[in-house]
Amino acid sequence: MALKVGFIGAGKIAQSLIKGFTNAGLTAPQHIIASASKNDVSDLEVIQKLGCTATTKNTAVVRQSDIAVLAVKPNIVPEVLAEIRDVLEPPKLLVSVAMGITLRKLESSCLENAHVVRVMPNTPCLVATGATAFASGRYASEEDCELTKSLFSSVGTCYQVPESYMDVITAISGSGPAYMFMTLEALSDAGVRHGLPRNLALKLAAQTMLGSAKMVLETGQHPAVMKGEVCSPAGCTIDAMHMLEKEGFRAALMNAVEAAYLRTREAGEE
């Protein structure tokens, strides 16, 4: 029996997950339904172009799906949950990818014994290289957790974690693609500045990032050790490392993660 997946919210993350799930063969477009407000015409059009059912009714998404993915902005989560509360009857699973919204808040807005899982995916799910973490609610079953892990493992890696980890995970892997894209842009800009064609500079930078990440994952070595192996005595790379340290490269990344983490915490408290 085909898995029916519903998305409440049809923005970028929902679109990435839809493409990822269908590309992975986990479900088919005709078994996916997604909702958006009447004002989000472009999102509704994208959903239709993907071959899925588009609607403006959130309750229709819940009724017509085996698993409902809550993919809306944090500030409208209470409004949406109030709307779908009576049709989201246990054991139907609610998967929330809403930034910062705690399991406690989700469960308190649903029917008693609601099956809820809080998930943080990222946009590389689109190309089956996503990094996802999830935490299960009080009444989520082992089968719910297995289904969540199966869904998100089909589009990358997926880890079950304590909920206390979720805000910083949001700041690292949820927001992380933006940090990587900015780094790639800067590297390709540097290549262009020194005479490389834009397309070549970008491809070299992207492949270098991809290969470096793969080395870390497959060797299990600490990045500091691997960095040291690239830095020859009196070579160009150690000069580059000195400049990055001088310019506060690592501190800037750590500060960026902290800013994202604090914003995630704020969103959960609003």
Side-chain angles (χ1 to χ4, degrees):
M1 184 176 176
L3 181 67
K4 296 179 180 178
V5 183
F7 288 85
I8 301 171
K12 297 301 182 185
I13 191 62
Q15 292 167 23
S16 293
L17 291 173
I18 289 170
K19 292 172 184 176
F21 292 163
T22 54
N23 289 342
L26 202 65
T27 188
Q30 61 266 32
H31 299 304
I32 296 176
I33 180 172
S35 62
S37 73
K38 293 178 181 178
N39 296 326
D40 295 324
V41 177
S42 60
D43 287 340
L44 292 170
E45 289 176 347
V46 169
I47 296 303
Q48 290 175 327
K49 287 178 181 177
L50 292 173
C52 308
T53 301
T55 180
T56 57
K57 298 184 181 299
N58 295 328
T59 52
V61 170
V62 178
R63 288 194 176 102
Q64 296 178 38
S65 61
D66 300 315
I67 175 172
V69 181
L70 183 63
V72 297
K73 298 294 185 185
N75 62 307
I76 65 170
V77 166
E79 176 187 339
V80 171
L81 290 178
E83 182 183 352
I84 66 172
R85 182 178 186 276
D86 293 335
V87 295
L88 186 68
E89 296 181 358
K92 183 164 290 192
L93 177 62
L94 176 69
V95 169
S96 172
V97 300
M99 178 185 73
I101 304 301
T102 65
L103 288 166
R104 182 182 59 80
K105 282 192 174 182
L106 293 165
E107 289 173 337
S108 65
S109 300
C110 297
L111 292 174
E112 189 176 356
N113 302 331
H115 291 222
V116 177
V117 174
R118 178 182 173 188
V119 179
M120 178 44 60
N122 62 12
T123 53
C125 287
L126 173 61
V127 291
T129 51
T132 300
F134 74 95
S136 59
R138 288 179 295 169
Y139 305 107
S141 66
E142 186 176 335
E143 290 75 16
D144 293 330
C145 294
E146 289 175 356
L147 176 58
T148 302
K149 190 160 189 177
S150 174
L151 271 172
F152 290 93
S153 292
S154 74
V155 290
T157 58
C158 184
Y159 306 94
Q160 185 171 4
V161 300
E163 188 182 16
S164 59
Y165 292 2
M166 291 298 289
D167 289 341
V168 70
I169 285 172
T170 300
I172 293 174
S173 58
S175 300
Y179 315 150
M180 301 301 105
F181 296 143
M182 179 174 279
T183 302
L184 287 173
E185 182 183 27
L187 285 172
S188 63
D189 280 350
V192 171
R193 182 176 181 230
H194 292 284
L196 288 182
R198 168 71 65 183
N199 189 47
L200 177 60
L202 184 55
K203 285 182 177 179
L204 288 170
Q207 185 64 33
T208 299
M209 181 177 286
L210 177 65
S212 302
K214 191 172 183 180
M215 286 180 69
V216 170
L217 292 172
E218 293 189 1
T219 67
Q221 284 190 295
H222 193 283
V225 173
M226 303 179 83
K227 179 194 73 176
E229 292 174 349
V230 185
C231 295
S232 303
C236 64
T237 308
I238 193 64
D239 278 358
M241 293 299 98
H242 176 255
M243 183 58 70
L244 288 175
E245 294 288 7
K246 184 178 178 181
E247 296 296 325
F249 179 73
R250 284 195 287 188
L253 274 180
M254 292 173 73
N255 289 340
V257 170
E258 182 176 16
Y261 168 73
L262 292 175
R263 180 65 191 104
T264 302
R265 293 283 301 269
E266 288 173 3
E269 295 168 359
E270 289 174 354

